[in-house]
Amino acid sequence: MSALAPTAVLAASSAVPFAVLPALVLVPAVGALLVACLPRRRPELLKLAAVTTSVVVGGMAVWLLSGFDVDHGADLQFVSSATWMADLGISWTLGVDGISLFLVVLTGVLFPIALLAVDPGHDDRAYYAWLLLLEAGVMGVFLALDLMVFFLCFEVVLVPMYFLIGRWGHGNRAYAATKFFLYTMAGSALMLVGILALAFLHADAVGGPVTFDLVAIAEAQAVDATAARWIFAAFALAFAVKVPIFPLHTWLPDAHTEAPTAGSVILAGVLLKLGTYGFLRFGLYLFPEASHFFAPVFLTLGVVGIVYGAVVATMQRDLKRLVAYSSVAHLGFIVLGTFALNTEGIEGGLLQMVNHGVSTGALFLLVGMVYERRHTRQIDELGGLQKSAPVLAGVFTVVMLSSIGLPGLNGFVGEFLVLVGAFNAHRWFAVVAAGGVILAALYLLWAYQRVFHGPAEGDNATMPDLRLREGLVLAPLLALIVFMGVYPKPVIERMEPAVDALVAHVEHHVDGFTEPTSQFGSEVEPGHGDDDGHGESDDHGDDH
Amino acid sequence: MSALLTLAASASTAAHGAGDLALGITEGGNWFLRNVWLIPLLPALSFVAILFFGKRMPRGGSEIGIAAVGIAFVLALLTGAAWIDHRDNFHGEEVHAAVVVDEAHGAHGDDHGDDHGEGHGHASLAVHQTVTWFQTNGVEFTVGTLVDGPAVMMLLVVTLVSLLVHVYSTDYVAGDRRYTHFFAFLSLFSASMLLLVVSENTLQLLCAWELVGVCSFALIGHWWEEKPNSDAALKAFLTNRVGDMGLLVGVTILFFAAGAALPGTFGSFSIAETNALANSGALSHTALLVASCCLMAAVMSKSGQFFLHTWLPDAMAGPTPVSALIHAATMVVAGVFMIARMYGVFFEGFQIGGSSINLMAFIGGLTTIVGACLAFVQRDIKKVLAYSTISQLGYMVMALGVGAWTAAMFHLFTHAFFKACLFLGSGSVSHAVHSFDMKSDMGGLRKDMPHTYRTFMIGTIALAGLPPLAGFWSKDEILVGTGGWGLMGGTDANGAYTLMLGMGMLTAALTAAYMTRCVYLTFFGEFRGHGHPHESGPRITVPLWILAFLAVFAGFLNMPKGFQLAPKGLQERFGHFVEPVAGYFPAIHHARPSWSLAIVSTIVVLCGVGAAAWYYFVKVEAASKAAGTSLTELPNGPTTRWPLARMGHTLLANRYYLDHLYNGVVADGTKGPVARLANRINQDVIDRTVDLTGETAVKAGTIVYEKIDQLVVDGAVNASGRGSSGAGEELRKINSGKVQSYAAILFAAATVLAGVLIVIV
């Protein structure tokens, strides 16, 4: 059935010149240690070390892209496995497939940009060390194929982010950092329980030793359906906080707004994807039946997030907060696509993860640049900036249009695929979500008008334009925005086999569910959109 | 290769029940027809070139734009010539789509082509080229070109008007603060519009559709320092976004509907396939109806149809050449063109040809009257023309709604020239008097601006629809096409839409009247402005004359069949070359021309002219002379005499209060109360809950810490071994951290859940 069988996994790991995946995790971790050992009073040296490390990691990530075997996109590639705690069944297994590939690359690309773009201003050593440790954690999450390793990395990510917000953030940073930490901690605590329960129940069911091997557990599907639903709920809560899904989103605007620019870029660009990626790899793949069972809940929340995020964004007076709320709307799209449970939807969602990382990352950089010049993010206090900073305004326009989902730029393809997927599965969700497209134009263009159009007065009239260094930092992001909008094929063809395999996996493990081929050919699809019996332990006697 | 070929190949192996569907397209043909993608590419490259190098060029980048559009125009001409040859002489291999057609439905497509008569009888194969954009789940998303009559016609119109506007702009926006930027966006707009007209599939159409919207946004807001301009740009973009949503949903519905009928795939964006399937009856009527309604929303916003038209008059805030190019001749007809492109879908979806009034014909007819009425009360010359554009676009949509496809396309063609001529003329006037206000700053300009005056008059007569100028022929064809006349000709249309005929007639009279008013206020009477207006330079007047020439002669391209005064070779040439004869085009009927209708409609127009002329040229002129002022409204005019007329005027002056509804209620509602409420819920309910939870947790933690930990546990620890007090101190330090106490509680909660799990499992 699926190409993800354990044997195939190991077969695909041949012909790797060096253990690239462990290197992706370890190099930034070692870099963090190195930075921590450097003299405190040499900020340029610290920055050099940090940037070099992240560029090396980025280089390896891009190399991964070229080394990735397109013909076996569904297989886990570059797999590296080492026993870690053999008694507990925990092993250090890393691998990459079409689902995680571009998230790894995105991480590799965004970190050097974030490091280059902004200087911390104080406590440089700790700042760079935390950022590199953060990168190690994120890479670990995207690459881990062992539940415990995944959990470990998922938790490791929290600490650097907490300190980044708390020490280098703006005004209300302590509150924001604590809120961020607690929210995500709450979720991951439940996930730990879920992981333990899953591993033990799996071991019971198959009668072997305890293992945390993701592929083994997912392929066996040995856990009883009711238990699987409960465990899925525990996982889902952790991911839902991380995404964040309405109504668990309120940590996000605070964290984004108070975080330093680099923190916001990484937070929006990469960290939010830990949740959406988690849904794919540890939600749909581990719990196909439960994912299908809970899909209506997440579809609803996704659509609510799209509309709600957009409406609240319209209202914001703080430019950075506005961008933060736009993330809530965008991630609603990703959730919608993921739980459409068909190839287009998931693929579109996956594409949107990368797109959102690029576009929103760039938006936060731009807002940071405006803030650095004007020392305010209040939309009311800005105006007419297009006069004094035409290049900045031009770049902002392109990034904004990409965020709105203009065809020809990256946002469109993903959004459209999500809508097609959602339409195919649940027509009305897609129609409401399409309304979110209008709202996105409303809040972003309205903000653009107020910030960049109109007469420029006072400091706004003399604001310096983009500097060369800033332009160079933004250039790769702009290139990605245009490239992925005009020619998404190389990205999609690498994602697709893995997504197909995942959809096939879900279909195989859900009774009576196949991807509906068309709305108008057959009269209706099987009524899997109707029940929203959230949390009910009704009698499902299915034995998988 | 192409998806279509693959489908055709799979047809032979498909299970029984699958038949071939003739699409009427081919992969072969003349080089120009196969490489039409060059035409949009040129201005696209020009956009990039102007953006990066324009400022360094001696003429600020305008030369790059003119060169690119000029070459594109030459290519379009060559493509047109190639098409004229191809239309009758090409006998290449046809591409088929495999399709499952019921026997019951299959018959529908067979009678296709019966009505085309001798002039349309032969097969003309549209030239089709695609490349794969990306591919997912077995569906190829392609980009490509579909070259047939309407596409070639649009290529010619867009490149020609764009070229003239480019030349005109070098004078009109000379010395502008963003001269280079202006030409860059003119280029990008031209590229997007050209991409739209050659689109091979609906997704590509959608992309180009949104791109023209963005260019429109940039160009309307060209002088963004002033708030009203910036507001107008925003309004245009947002209103169009509403329509884009309709397009998005409509395209998706058609995608799946086509997929259901085509074996071996689950969706298709191909315009030819979708239309052919709709024609053959293989698509469910419900799907087509819903899709048509969604697409209609897109048409309403893009082509300024009532009640989504309100952005178009505001869009006049942009520079006048932009108004001419985008908001009169090309972009706003994108909606009309889209209906023409997806005509198979609309024809089946709205059951055009059934005489029963459908949504499209109704909206078009309503718009044409609504727009014409509004044109009466404007002081701003460009607003008159803007409402006139809305009215004329309504004419085209109405024509498509009654099945008069060729008439609509022909009107689109002639309208592009005379309306561009009028807009550029109004620009020339405002260039001279530095204002757009007819009442306070114009009047008597015929003496000072002879070229502008003459060309404007030609445009006016063409728009009013007096023979033998272009507007007469296309308007007459639409009136005939309604099929509502039936007196000595005018029969054999797709139905008998008497109401639409009445609406068309009424609009003809109104159009003649408001244009007479406009001409009087601008060119007659005494000059009311300041300074001495001068005629504009040749870069403005030459384009005006070229457009005026076309406004006179373009109508002769499609003189009705049986019109004895015309040489045989000129009868219905336009229809012959533009109307597709293909599987993707529905079998429409062509009404027989009617002398009596032509005469009656001309009389109606003359009545309109006469009434307005009597009021302005006689009464107002006399009153002004008597009062010794330059312009005196009549003291006992209709609005002062009749309360109903006054109410009507108030209603019109307030644009039917639609702007109040959209801005005051909908937009401000979303930006104001709704967003505020959502924000309050966000802050006061959801976030407050979070904070409360946190606070409670802190309190609980404090209690636990102080009462239990310190007193009981720590007490025990202390009691058990005082030697370890140092370690205890450390422990307490850690424990007192907020984070830790929170985490402890959360872990406790997790433990409870674990307990639940164990119990249940």
Side-chain angles (χ1 to χ4, degrees), chain A residues 175 179 182 325 449 486 496, chain B residues 133 137 231 682 687 691 742:
Chain A
Y175 170 75
K179 196 164 165 185
L182 290 181
Y325 271 106
Q449 183 200 20
V486 176
E496 182 166 5
Chain B
W133 187 22
N137 209 5
D231 281 346
N682 195 49
D687 211 27
D691 282 349
Y742 282 159

Side-chain angles (χ1 to χ4, degrees), chain B residues 217-515:
Chain B
F217 172 74
L219 286 167
I220 296 170
H222 182 69
W223 294 311
W224 43 256
E225 282 90 347
E226 284 92 49
K227 184 108 184 354
N229 299 347
S230 172
D231 281 346
L234 192 65
K235 184 172 173 182
F237 194 84
L238 291 178
T239 315
N240 275 300
R241 238 9 226 195
V242 174
D244 291 350
M245 180 191 159
L247 189 60
L248 202 62
V249 175
V251 162
T252 311
I253 292 173
L254 289 176
F255 172 77
F256 286 114
L262 290 167
T265 178
F266 78 97
S268 170
F269 288 112
S270 165
I271 289 174
E273 276 176 7
T274 311
N275 279 325
L277 287 170
N279 288 338
S280 73
L283 303 186
S284 93
H285 178 69
T286 317
L288 287 176
L289 180 64
V290 175
S292 299
C293 289
C294 290
L295 295 180
M296 200 59 212
V299 173
M300 283 163 68
S301 66
K302 195 63 116 199
S303 289
Q305 298 298 293
F306 184 82
F307 47 94
L308 292 178
H309 65 277
T310 58
W311 67 272
L312 187 57
D314 289 24
M316 297 302 127
T320 307
V322 168
S323 310
L325 175 63
I326 300 189
H327 305 117
T330 57
M331 183 189 90
V332 291
V333 301
V336 177
F337 178 78
M338 194 263 280
I339 300 178
R341 254 284 171 256
M342 307 302 295
Y343 208 51
V345 170
F346 284 103
F347 202 80
E348 290 298 317
F350 284 144
Q351 305 264 293
I352 296 168
S355 287
S356 58
I357 290 171
N358 59 61
L359 185 69
M360 193 197 295
F362 181 73
I363 285 184
L366 192 61
T367 305
T368 188
I369 295 176
V370 161
C373 289
L374 283 166
F376 266 107
V377 294
Q378 306 302 322
R379 292 171 69 98
D380 182 320
I381 184 169
K382 272 176 82 180
K383 293 240 162 124
V384 175
L385 297 176
Y387 282 112
S388 163
T389 302
I390 290 173
S391 171
Q392 296 298 309
L393 289 167
Y395 236 78
M396 298 173 207
V397 171
M398 184 182 83
L400 288 165
V402 299
W405 188 93
T406 311
M409 285 291 100
F410 190 43
H411 197 60
L412 189 164
F413 180 72
T414 57
H415 175 262
F417 300 130
F418 60 70
K419 190 51 70 64
C421 176
L422 288 171
F423 261 111
L424 294 182
S426 77
S428 173
V429 168
S430 77
H431 206 49
V433 304
H434 306 291
S435 165
F436 289 107
D437 193 324
M438 296 187 295
K439 286 195 173 173
S440 64
D441 296 313
M442 294 183 191
L445 290 172
R446 71 183 183 283
K447 287 162 258 161
D448 303 310
M449 308 184 73
H451 293 295
T452 307
Y453 166 62
R454 285 176 200 151
T455 51
F456 200 90
M457 282 308 289
I458 292 172
T460 301
I461 298 169
L463 171 59
L466 283 173
L469 271 65
F472 166 73
W473 303 102
S474 50
K475 179 203 69 181
D476 189 59
E477 215 174 307
I478 291 176
L479 294 178
V480 170
T482 58
W485 185 248
L487 188 68
M488 300 165 72
T491 49
D492 295 345
N494 294 279
Y497 292 89
T498 321
L499 176 65
M500 274 67 220
L501 178 69
M503 287 170 150
M505 282 287 198
L506 180 59
T507 304
L510 290 171
T511 307
Y514 69 70
M515 282 315 290

Side-chain angles (χ1 to χ4, degrees), chain A residues 162 175 178-179 181-183 185-186 189-190 192-194 197 201 226-227 230-231 234 246-247 249-250 254 308 311-312 314-316 321 325 343-344 347 384 386-387 401 404-407 412-413 415-417 419-420 423-424 431 434-435 437-439 441-442 445-446 448-449 452-455 485-489 492 496 500 515 517-521, chain B residues 132-139 141 177-178 181 203 206-208 210-211 214 217 221 224-227 230-234 237-238 241-243 245 248-249 251-257 259-260 266 269 284 286-287 667 670-672 674-676 678-679 681-683 686-687 690-691 694 738-739 742-743 746-747 749-751 753-754 756-757 760-761:
Chain A
Y162 172 77
Y175 170 75
T178 313
K179 196 164 165 185
F181 195 93
L182 290 181
Y183 243 121
M185 197 70 184
L190 286 175
L192 178 61
V193 176
L201 288 175
T226 314
W230 278 97
I231 301 171
F246 175 90
H249 64 279
T250 59
D254 285 318
Y308 180 88
V311 170
V312 177
T314 314
M315 170 66 207
Q316 300 306 316
R321 234 180 142 76
Y325 271 106
T343 307
E344 292 75 33
E347 207 166 271
Q386 194 166 346
K387 194 170 198 76
L401 292 175
I404 290 176
L406 185 86
F412 174 73
V413 179
E415 206 169 84
F416 189 73
L417 283 175
L419 287 177
V420 168
F423 189 89
N424 205 7
V431 173
V437 175
I438 303 177
L439 290 171
L442 176 69
L445 277 163
W446 193 39
Y448 180 84
Q449 183 200 20
F452 287 96
H453 281 181
V486 176
Y487 194 58
K489 195 175 156 195
I492 289 180
E496 182 166 5
D500 273 341
E515 192 179 349
T517 48
S518 170
Q519 287 293 307
F520 298 105
Chain B
T132 302
W133 187 22
F134 60 92
Q135 185 177 2
T136 173
N137 209 5
V139 178
F141 293 69
R177 52 206 149 185
R178 280 183 291 278
H181 171 271
L203 189 62
L206 172 74
C207 293
E210 298 216 23
L211 277 174
V214 171
F217 172 74
W224 43 256
E225 282 90 347
E226 284 92 49
K227 184 108 184 354
S230 172
D231 281 346
L234 192 65
F237 194 84
L238 291 178
R241 238 9 226 195
V242 174
M245 180 191 159
L248 202 62
V249 175
V251 162
T252 311
I253 292 173
L254 289 176
F255 172 77
F256 286 114
F266 78 97
F269 288 112
S284 93
T286 317
T670 313
K671 288 193 289 197
V674 175
R676 257 199 299 277
N679 200 43
I681 292 175
N682 195 49
Q683 295 303 330
I686 301 177
D687 211 27
V690 173
D691 282 349
K738 264 187 184 177
V739 168
Y742 282 159
L746 290 166
F747 271 111
T751 320
L753 187 93
V756 172
L757 276 174
I760 289 168
V761 176

Side-chain angles (χ1 to χ4, degrees), chain B residues 671-708:
Chain B
K671 288 193 289 197
V674 175
R676 257 199 299 277
L677 179 70
N679 200 43
R680 281 207 58 149
I681 292 175
N682 195 49
Q683 295 303 330
D684 295 349
V685 181
I686 301 177
D687 211 27
R688 191 78 203 105
T689 314
V690 173
D691 282 349
L692 267 178
T693 315
E695 281 161 20
T696 317
V698 172
K699 277 186 196 137
T702 316
I703 294 166
V704 170
Y705 172 64
E706 286 174 356
K707 301 282 188 272
I708 301 173

